[in-house]
């Protein structure tokens, strides 16, 4: 492996109701068509069969590394951390297996944003799809200081890229708030993100998404956890915002 590898695409994967390998194939096919070539793909796999492992072996036109992470906690934060820890690129590009890049120049634009040494993390615009073909609801991300409480104005971690050096870990206590908590961590480490307005990622919407099965009890538990985690950084306005978010889980 080239020690000066520019970028690692980190994909946490699992069976996803039997659709995991199919979704991942779509994403890998698009990665194989990227005009930017100085990258590897790291797939951290928690699926219960060999379909994803076999799929990864079939891609000879790019560097795809398959990690068996079934021994880890079965959740997205732990699996994403495993992919990031195995990555060797200067830049980490997170990409969830059911999402995919938008355009063959997406990695060129993402990597190019880091030509500025002052840029430590970026988020990009996104679009959404239900059928993998039709793109709807373009979304431009922005950060706000209370994002850790669940009002996600950035989108999924698939829009995220950051320098591997000093990259924080996803909090493995969290499920529902794992993404917004990570954006808060990055803001405290690096300041505000650079925003690429162009929709360089497509987020797939489907019934198998984790967010579709989150209980109110879990939401309350995670809200209280992040409140304790960031108590030292909270203003009175933050406290009122937290109370309002918590109150809605009882209605």
């Amino acid at each position: 492996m080239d020690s000066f590898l520019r970028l690692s695409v980190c994909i946490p994967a699992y069976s996803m109701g039997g659709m995991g390998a199919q979704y991942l194939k779509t994403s890998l096919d698009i990665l194989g068509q990227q005009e930017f070539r100085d990258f590897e793909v790291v797939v951290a796999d928690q699926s219960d069969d060999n379909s994803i492992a076999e799929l990864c072996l079939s891609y000879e036109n790019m560097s795809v590394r398959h990690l068996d992470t079934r021994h880890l906690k079965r959740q997205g934060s732990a699996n994403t951390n495993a992919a990031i820890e195995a990555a060797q690129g200067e830049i980490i590009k997170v990409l969830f297996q059911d999402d995919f890049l938008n355009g063959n120049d997406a990695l060129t634009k993402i990597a190019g944003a880091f030509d500025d040494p002052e840029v430590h993390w970026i988020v990009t615009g996104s679009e959404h799809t239900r059928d993998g073909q039709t793109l709807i609801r373009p979304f431009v991300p922005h950060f706000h200081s209370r994002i850790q409480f669940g009002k996600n104005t950035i989108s999924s971690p698939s829009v995220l890229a950051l320098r591997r050096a000093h990259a924080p870990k996803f909090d493995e206590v969290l499920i529902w708030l794992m993404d917004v908590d990570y954006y808060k961590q990055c803001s405290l480490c690096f300041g505000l993100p650079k925003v690429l307005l162009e929709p360089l990622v497509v987020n797939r919407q489907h019934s198998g998404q984790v967010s579709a099965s989150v209980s109110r009890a879990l939401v309350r538990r995670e809200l209280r956890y992040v409140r304790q985690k960031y108590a030292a950084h909270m203003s009175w306005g933050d406290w009122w915002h937290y109370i309002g978010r918590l109150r809605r889980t009882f209605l």
Side-chain angles (χ1 to χ4, degrees), residues 13-86:
Y14 63 104
S15 299
M16 199 167 280
M19 297 298 294
Q22 180 177 323
Y23 290 156
L24 181 59
K25 184 179 188 307
T26 296
S27 188
L28 292 177
D29 286 345
I30 294 171
L31 283 165
Q33 297 166 8
Q34 292 296 300
E35 61 184 31
F36 180 88
R37 303 306 303 170
D38 190 11
F39 73 95
E40 65 171 351
V41 181
V42 181
V43 178
D45 179 16
Q46 292 192 328
S47 59
D48 294 319
D49 58 30
N50 295 323
S51 57
I52 288 175
E54 292 170 358
L55 177 67
C56 291
L57 287 173
S58 70
Y59 283 82
E60 299 178 352
N61 64 328
M62 59 182 173
S63 173
V64 180
R65 286 195 287 138
H66 174 266
L67 308 177
D68 185 338
T69 53
R70 287 174 291 186
H71 61 287
L72 300 178
K73 182 185 287 188
R74 294 294 187 100
Q75 65 182 52
S77 52
N79 208 23
T80 307
N81 284 338
I84 292 173
E85 288 167 7

Side-chain angles (χ1 to χ4, degrees), residues 8-239:
S8 295
V9 180
C10 295
I11 305 178
Y14 63 104
S15 299
M16 199 167 280
M19 297 298 294
Q22 180 177 323
Y23 290 156
L24 181 59
K25 184 179 188 307
T26 296
S27 188
L28 292 177
D29 286 345
I30 294 171
L31 283 165
Q33 297 166 8
Q34 292 296 300
E35 61 184 31
F36 180 88
R37 303 306 303 170
D38 190 11
F39 73 95
E40 65 171 351
V41 181
V42 181
V43 178
D45 179 16
Q46 292 192 328
S47 59
D48 294 319
D49 58 30
N50 295 323
S51 57
I52 288 175
E54 292 170 358
L55 177 67
C56 291
L57 287 173
S58 70
Y59 283 82
E60 299 178 352
N61 64 328
M62 59 182 173
S63 173
V64 180
R65 286 195 287 138
H66 174 266
L67 308 177
D68 185 338
T69 53
R70 287 174 291 186
H71 61 287
L72 300 178
K73 182 185 287 188
R74 294 294 187 100
Q75 65 182 52
S77 52
N79 208 23
T80 307
N81 284 338
I84 292 173
E85 288 167 7
Q88 299 184 34
E90 175 193 356
I91 300 161
I92 298 295
K93 172 72 194 91
V94 178
L95 187 62
F96 281 10
Q97 80 186 85
D98 47 345
D99 302 332
F100 50 90
L101 297 178
N102 190 14
N104 295 345
D105 59 352
L107 284 188
T108 299
K109 293 173 179 176
I110 290 166
F114 291 92
D115 290 342
D116 181 348
E118 298 300 314
V119 172
H120 295 281
W121 67 301
I122 71 166
V123 292
T124 76
S126 60
E127 292 186 286
H128 299 79
T129 187
R130 294 187 182 279
D131 60 6
Q133 302 288 332
T134 306
L135 304 185
I136 58 173
R137 292 175 46 230
F139 184 81
V140 175
H142 71 274
F143 179 84
H144 66 94
S145 62
R146 298 164 182 165
I147 197 166
Q148 69 271 23
F149 295 122
K151 185 178 180 181
N152 190 347
T153 54
I154 286 181
S155 190
S156 81
S158 292
V159 307
L160 169 73
L162 71 164
R163 295 190 190 275
R164 181 163 60 91
H166 311 300
K169 289 186 176 184
F170 282 85
D171 191 324
E172 297 183 11
V173 171
L174 298 171
I175 298 172
W176 178 60
L177 294 176
M178 67 165 282
D179 47 5
V180 292
D181 171 79
Y182 197 77
Y183 306 146
K184 183 67 172 183
Q185 287 192 68
C186 286
S187 73
L188 293 175
C189 289
F190 309 124
L192 295 176
K194 179 179 178 64
V195 177
L196 304 187
L197 301 179
E198 190 173 351
L200 299 180
V201 170
V202 178
N203 290 311
R204 190 189 297 267
Q205 296 182 312
H206 56 90
S207 59
Q209 290 173 293
V210 171
S211 58
S213 59
V214 170
S215 70
R216 290 191 177 192
L218 183 142
V219 171
R220 286 193 291 272
R221 183 166 63 249
E222 294 199 357
L223 282 171
R224 288 167 177 147
Y225 174 82
V226 296
R227 184 260 298 168
Q228 294 173 341
K229 182 175 180 178
Y230 297 106
H233 302 279
M234 288 176 64
S235 66
W236 282 111
D238 296 336
W239 278 96

